Amino acid sequence: MSKSHRRKRVLLLGGTREALSIARQLTSLDIYSLAGLGKVPDDLTCTVRVGGFGGAVGLAEFIRAGNIELLLDATHPYAAQISANAADAAQQTQTPYWALRRADWQPQADDDWRDVENWSEIIAALADFKRPFFTLGREPLTHLDEIPPTQHWTIRCLDAEPGNARATVIGARGPFTLDGERDLFATNNFDILISKNSGSVATEPKLQIARARQLPVLILKRPALPLATREFNSSDELIAALHEDSR
Ligand code: NAP
């Protein structure tokens, strides 16, 4: 991004692949913020900060203290708390709030997708299955003691934690390939997939394999997110708008 034009000082809230691609367009004026769960890049021109702000009030203070003029939200669609805080802090400080809102995945004609709203609905929907594959993050790890004797769970999340006699935990970070997912499903003989509707290309191959194997998929409903001043479906659109804004 050209440094020769006056443009707004940006605070970018990240935690996604797209956020990193936006962060690569920022300059030393700007700040890229991460919660601290994943990798922290060390090759960016902008400042990188890590850790929570202390709710909407803390974020508003950070915006004021740092003379932030544009708040960008490129967090994950299921990270509802930080997005709610961002909208609130933007309102408190009268800062424009732009958000990347990924389109969600849509089922195809023969897909057997079943919407679930919460953990108890997931457990009820799994009653007749034996080898579920969880790709929801950490939540299933907190229920390892509740696995019915008829089931063996496979849980894929960022942390490689020990499972138990009825659960295998795979610590892995996307992107995942079609070939890799095909092998994983075949080896483990999963009979149902449990997924968020993240809309990410990096994690979509599991849905293609579930489709090919005619497996049902439990889809955890997306949380409601606040309205932003401007919303974008892709990081490219958002980056183009940033360039436009700096003309
Ligand atoms: P969350 O529930 O919305 O946020 C929990 C708290 O983490 C927030 O209140 C905030 O703490 C802090 N936080 C979150 N994102 C932050 C950021 N970019 N910079 C500084 N603080 C941040 O979020 P989550 O679901 O735990 O996800 C945590 C992070 O992982 C997010 O940045 C998200 O983009 C990323 N992520 C989430 C998922 C998912 O499935 N949820 C998947 C992939 C990546 P304070 O209130 O103290 O400010």
Side-chain angles (χ1 to χ4, degrees):
M1 187 169 300
S2 165
K3 294 182 192 177
S4 57
H5 301 280
R6 167 77 181 108
R7 68 163 184 81
K8 296 189 177 79
R9 184 166 196 220
V10 167
L11 171 61
L12 168 65
L13 304 172
T16 58
R17 217 160 281 277
E18 294 96 320
L20 181 58
S21 71
I22 298 166
R24 293 201 185 284
Q25 304 289 319
L26 300 180
T27 71
S28 55
L29 263 183
D30 309 308
I31 303 174
Y32 177 41
S33 175
L34 293 166
L37 304 180
K39 277 191 206 148
V40 179
D42 57 5
D43 60 347
L44 298 179
T45 309
C46 63
T47 301
V48 181
R49 69 164 298 284
V50 179
F53 296 96
V57 170
L59 181 53
E61 276 167 17
F62 187 94
I63 289 170
R64 284 194 198 96
N67 296 317
I68 300 298
E69 297 163 294
L70 176 60
L71 181 59
L72 298 185
D73 178 357
T75 59
H76 191 270
Y78 284 73
Q81 187 60 57
I82 187 68
S83 291
N85 294 352
D88 187 342
Q91 221 231 336
Q92 285 181 49
T93 57
Q94 294 296 295
T95 307
Y97 166 52
W98 294 5
L100 181 63
R101 299 280 189 244
R102 272 189 206 150
D104 48 12
W105 290 317
Q106 296 294 331
Q108 293 187 6
D110 292 329
D111 281 342
D112 178 3
W113 287 14
R114 306 172 188 186
D115 293 335
V116 283
E117 298 231 2
N118 51 42
W119 184 255
S120 52
E121 285 193 18
I122 290 173
I123 291 304
L126 286 179
D128 294 335
F129 295 89
K130 294 187 166 48
R131 298 192 63 82
F133 178 32
F134 289 88
T135 58
L136 292 173
R138 295 184 51 81
E139 181 159 16
L141 298 177
T142 62
H143 299 279
L144 292 183
D145 295 339
E146 300 155 30
I147 304 176
T150 51
Q151 293 183 350
H152 184 94
W153 292 7
T154 300
I155 299 156
R156 184 167 68 193
C157 58
L158 289 182
D159 320 83
E161 294 195 6
N164 63 22
R166 295 212 193 100
T168 305
V169 181
I170 303 173
R173 180 187 301 272
F176 300 105
T177 64
L178 205 51
D179 285 346
E181 298 295 57
R182 187 180 293 109
D183 286 350
L184 187 71
F185 275 68
T187 309
N188 290 281
N189 203 19
F190 301 136
D191 55 3
I192 188 165
L193 169 68
I194 306 100
S195 177
K196 292 178 178 173
N197 192 333
S198 81
S200 165
V201 177
T203 53
E204 202 170 358
K206 65 187 171 187
L207 295 172
Q208 294 168 261
I209 300 300
R211 180 173 300 131
R213 296 175 72 89
Q214 297 184 306
L215 298 183
V217 184
L218 301 185
I219 299 277
L220 183 64
K221 197 179 160 201
R222 278 193 178 189
L225 296 176
L227 259 189
T229 321
R230 290 183 69 179
E231 301 195 347
F232 304 86
N233 284 139
S234 75
S235 49
D236 286 348
E237 274 177 41
L238 194 151
I239 288 166
L242 265 184
H243 284 292
E244 191 61 34
D245 200 53
S246 64
R247 288 226 171 96

